[in-house]
Amino acid sequence: MLFRRQGENLDYVCTEDVVRGDIIVINDVIGIAATSASTGDLIAVYMEGVFALPKGEEELKQGKKVYYDKTTKKITATAPAAAAALSEAEEPAALAEDDKVLAGIVWEDAASSAGKVFVKIN
């Protein structure tokens, strides 16, 4: 076994301009930009921790698994649609990339009227 590093941060080459605190989707997980940067810059992305993230108009309860919706750019309890649930008759286009990725768990309850929710990412 070869230890490399703790793993709280991930080195990431920006694919677009980012502002410190932006949610960054990296394949199947999210991270939080540690600094502002331009496309092509190498930055640290927080991969662990509890962050106040934007949410929709749903109530979210502590301990609930939540997802980042890449379309609305908000946290939701609605899980991504499973590709396995598609019928064989559906077009291959229906297998397009899902718009949600696992964000983590709700750290403390958030009312439906709250604009943010504390999430322990990954």
Side-chain angles (χ1 to χ4, degrees):
M1 175 169 58
L2 176 64
F3 178 81
R4 181 156 182 173
R5 61 194 279 185
Q6 292 292 331
E8 296 93 359
N9 299 328
L10 182 71
D11 293 334
Y12 174 76
V13 176
C14 297
T15 57
E16 60 186 3
D17 292 353
V18 297
V19 175
R20 181 178 187 267
D22 278 357
I23 297 172
I24 297 177
V25 176
I26 304 171
N27 291 312
D28 296 333
V29 296
I30 66 164
I32 307 298
T35 60
S36 297
S38 299
T39 303
D41 289 348
L42 179 68
I43 64 168
V45 174
Y46 299 123
M47 299 304 293
E48 295 181 358
V50 178
F51 297 88
L53 302 177
K55 64 174 272 308
E57 296 179 357
E58 62 188 307
E59 179 181 34
L60 298 172
K61 292 294 197 178
Q62 185 178 48
K64 179 79 175 155
K65 215 180 262 190
V66 288
Y67 304 86
Y68 177 67
D69 186 317
K70 295 183 278 187
T71 303
T72 64
K73 300 192 180 307
K74 293 182 179 182
I75 298 297
T76 180
T78 305
L86 297 176
S87 72
E88 292 179 26
E90 292 188 71
E91 295 295 320
L95 295 173
E97 180 182 354
D98 205 303
D99 62 343
K100 295 182 185 85
V101 62
L102 181 64
I105 62 163
V106 175
W107 192 253
E108 61 184 49
D109 291 354
S112 57
S113 59
K116 300 224 181 239
V117 60
F118 285 101
V119 176
K120 181 183 183 304
I121 64 170
N122 305 316

PDB file of all heavy atoms in Angstrom, residues 91-105:
ATOM      1  N   GLU A  91     -36.059   4.779 -27.214  1.00  0.00           N
ATOM      2  CA  GLU A  91     -34.931   5.136 -28.068  1.00  0.00           C
ATOM      3  C   GLU A  91     -33.643   5.235 -27.259  1.00  0.00           C
ATOM      4  O   GLU A  91     -33.676   5.594 -26.087  1.00  0.00           O
ATOM      5  CB  GLU A  91     -35.203   6.490 -28.736  1.00  0.00           C
ATOM      6  CG  GLU A  91     -36.373   6.478 -29.684  1.00  0.00           C
ATOM      7  CD  GLU A  91     -36.129   5.597 -30.881  1.00  0.00           C
ATOM      8  OE1 GLU A  91     -34.996   5.587 -31.413  1.00  0.00           O
ATOM      9  OE2 GLU A  91     -37.072   4.890 -31.284  1.00  0.00           O
ATOM     10  N   PRO A  92     -32.487   4.979 -27.872  1.00  0.00           N
ATOM     11  CA  PRO A  92     -31.207   5.132 -27.182  1.00  0.00           C
ATOM     12  C   PRO A  92     -31.010   6.539 -26.628  1.00  0.00           C
ATOM     13  O   PRO A  92     -30.309   6.729 -25.643  1.00  0.00           O
ATOM     14  CB  PRO A  92     -30.169   4.820 -28.257  1.00  0.00           C
ATOM     15  CG  PRO A  92     -30.893   3.958 -29.238  1.00  0.00           C
ATOM     16  CD  PRO A  92     -32.330   4.426 -29.203  1.00  0.00           C
ATOM     17  N   ALA A  93     -31.648   7.535 -27.231  1.00  0.00           N
ATOM     18  CA  ALA A  93     -31.523   8.904 -26.745  1.00  0.00           C
ATOM     19  C   ALA A  93     -32.029   9.025 -25.317  1.00  0.00           C
ATOM     20  O   ALA A  93     -31.618   9.904 -24.568  1.00  0.00           O
ATOM     21  CB  ALA A  93     -32.289   9.865 -27.652  1.00  0.00           C
ATOM     22  N   ALA A  94     -32.917   8.124 -24.919  1.00  0.00           N
ATOM     23  CA  ALA A  94     -33.447   8.146 -23.559  1.00  0.00           C
ATOM     24  C   ALA A  94     -32.373   7.790 -22.540  1.00  0.00           C
ATOM     25  O   ALA A  94     -32.543   8.017 -21.357  1.00  0.00           O
ATOM     26  CB  ALA A  94     -34.623   7.182 -23.445  1.00  0.00           C
ATOM     27  N   LEU A  95     -31.283   7.219 -23.001  1.00  0.00           N
ATOM     28  CA  LEU A  95     -30.182   6.856 -22.110  1.00  0.00           C
ATOM     29  C   LEU A  95     -29.171   7.990 -21.953  1.00  0.00           C
ATOM     30  O   LEU A  95     -28.071   7.778 -21.486  1.00  0.00           O
ATOM     31  CB  LEU A  95     -29.470   5.600 -22.633  1.00  0.00           C
ATOM     32  CG  LEU A  95     -30.326   4.335 -22.639  1.00  0.00           C
ATOM     33  CD1 LEU A  95     -29.569   3.212 -23.334  1.00  0.00           C
ATOM     34  CD2 LEU A  95     -30.694   3.921 -21.236  1.00  0.00           C
ATOM     35  N   ALA A  96     -29.554   9.167 -22.367  1.00  0.00           N
ATOM     36  CA  ALA A  96     -28.653  10.318 -22.261  1.00  0.00           C
ATOM     37  C   ALA A  96     -28.207  10.517 -20.817  1.00  0.00           C
ATOM     38  O   ALA A  96     -28.873  10.069 -19.885  1.00  0.00           O
ATOM     39  CB  ALA A  96     -29.358  11.580 -22.757  1.00  0.00           C
ATOM     40  N   GLU A  97     -27.097  11.201 -20.651  1.00  0.00           N
ATOM     41  CA  GLU A  97     -26.539  11.452 -19.323  1.00  0.00           C
ATOM     42  C   GLU A  97     -27.598  12.025 -18.382  1.00  0.00           C
ATOM     43  O   GLU A  97     -28.355  12.903 -18.745  1.00  0.00           O
ATOM     44  CB  GLU A  97     -25.380  12.434 -19.458  1.00  0.00           C
ATOM     45  CG  GLU A  97     -24.728  12.759 -18.149  1.00  0.00           C
ATOM     46  CD  GLU A  97     -23.603  13.763 -18.294  1.00  0.00           C
ATOM     47  OE1 GLU A  97     -23.251  14.133 -19.402  1.00  0.00           O
ATOM     48  OE2 GLU A  97     -23.095  14.186 -17.255  1.00  0.00           O
ATOM     49  N   ASP A  98     -27.640  11.473 -17.173  1.00  0.00           N
ATOM     50  CA  ASP A  98     -28.613  11.940 -16.191  1.00  0.00           C
ATOM     51  C   ASP A  98     -28.252  13.346 -15.738  1.00  0.00           C
ATOM     52  O   ASP A  98     -27.093  13.739 -15.766  1.00  0.00           O
ATOM     53  CB  ASP A  98     -28.654  10.986 -14.994  1.00  0.00           C
ATOM     54  CG  ASP A  98     -29.979  11.044 -14.284  1.00  0.00           C
ATOM     55  OD1 ASP A  98     -30.357  12.151 -13.849  1.00  0.00           O
ATOM     56  OD2 ASP A  98     -30.633  10.010 -14.163  1.00  0.00           O
ATOM     57  N   ASP A  99     -29.243  14.093 -15.293  1.00  0.00           N
ATOM     58  CA  ASP A  99     -29.015  15.474 -14.885  1.00  0.00           C
ATOM     59  C   ASP A  99     -28.733  15.616 -13.398  1.00  0.00           C
ATOM     60  O   ASP A  99     -28.603  16.717 -12.898  1.00  0.00           O
ATOM     61  CB  ASP A  99     -30.187  16.362 -15.286  1.00  0.00           C
ATOM     62  CG  ASP A  99     -31.491  15.945 -14.610  1.00  0.00           C
ATOM     63  OD1 ASP A  99     -31.569  14.812 -14.111  1.00  0.00           O
ATOM     64  OD2 ASP A  99     -32.425  16.752 -14.584  1.00  0.00           O
ATOM     65  N   LYS A 100     -28.622  14.487 -12.668  1.00  0.00           N
ATOM     66  CA  LYS A 100     -28.365  14.556 -11.220  1.00  0.00           C
ATOM     67  C   LYS A 100     -27.169  13.699 -10.841  1.00  0.00           C
ATOM     68  O   LYS A 100     -26.914  12.665 -11.446  1.00  0.00           O
ATOM     69  CB  LYS A 100     -29.596  14.092 -10.449  1.00  0.00           C
ATOM     70  CG  LYS A 100     -30.793  15.002 -10.647  1.00  0.00           C
ATOM     71  CD  LYS A 100     -31.973  14.525  -9.832  1.00  0.00           C
ATOM     72  CE  LYS A 100     -33.189  15.357 -10.113  1.00  0.00           C
ATOM     73  NZ  LYS A 100     -33.925  14.884 -11.288  1.00  0.00           N
ATOM     74  N   VAL A 101     -26.465  14.155  -9.812  1.00  0.00           N
ATOM     75  CA  VAL A 101     -25.320  13.421  -9.287  1.00  0.00           C
ATOM     76  C   VAL A 101     -25.380  13.474  -7.764  1.00  0.00           C
ATOM     77  O   VAL A 101     -25.835  14.462  -7.189  1.00  0.00           O
ATOM     78  CB  VAL A 101     -23.995  14.001  -9.836  1.00  0.00           C
ATOM     79  CG1 VAL A 101     -23.800  15.434  -9.423  1.00  0.00           C
ATOM     80  CG2 VAL A 101     -22.813  13.162  -9.437  1.00  0.00           C
ATOM     81  N   LEU A 102     -24.970  12.395  -7.112  1.00  0.00           N
ATOM     82  CA  LEU A 102     -25.000  12.337  -5.655  1.00  0.00           C
ATOM     83  C   LEU A 102     -24.197  13.485  -5.063  1.00  0.00           C
ATOM     84  O   LEU A 102     -23.053  13.730  -5.453  1.00  0.00           O
ATOM     85  CB  LEU A 102     -24.440  11.002  -5.168  1.00  0.00           C
ATOM     86  CG  LEU A 102     -24.439  10.789  -3.657  1.00  0.00           C
ATOM     87  CD1 LEU A 102     -25.862  10.763  -3.111  1.00  0.00           C
ATOM     88  CD2 LEU A 102     -23.702   9.509  -3.295  1.00  0.00           C
ATOM     89  N   ALA A 103     -24.804  14.201  -4.105  1.00  0.00           N
ATOM     90  CA  ALA A 103     -24.117  15.312  -3.443  1.00  0.00           C
ATOM     91  C   ALA A 103     -23.638  14.905  -2.055  1.00  0.00           C
ATOM     92  O   ALA A 103     -22.564  15.299  -1.620  1.00  0.00           O
ATOM     93  CB  ALA A 103     -25.038  16.528  -3.337  1.00  0.00           C
ATOM     94  N   GLY A 104     -24.436  14.123  -1.329  1.00  0.00           N
ATOM     95  CA  GLY A 104     -24.079  13.727   0.023  1.00  0.00           C
ATOM     96  C   GLY A 104     -25.322  13.550   0.861  1.00  0.00           C
ATOM     97  O   GLY A 104     -26.348  13.088   0.367  1.00  0.00           O
ATOM     98  N   ILE A 105     -25.242  13.955   2.158  1.00  0.00           N
ATOM     99  CA  ILE A 105     -26.392  13.848   3.049  1.00  0.00           C
ATOM    100  C   ILE A 105     -26.695  15.202   3.684  1.00  0.00           C
ATOM    101  O   ILE A 105     -25.803  16.030   3.875  1.00  0.00           O
ATOM    102  CB  ILE A 105     -26.185  12.797   4.158  1.00  0.00           C
ATOM    103  CG1 ILE A 105     -25.002  13.171   5.053  1.00  0.00           C
ATOM    104  CG2 ILE A 105     -26.021  11.398   3.580  1.00  0.00           C
ATOM    105  CD1 ILE A 105     -24.972  12.430   6.373  1.00  0.00           C
TER     106      ILE A 105
END
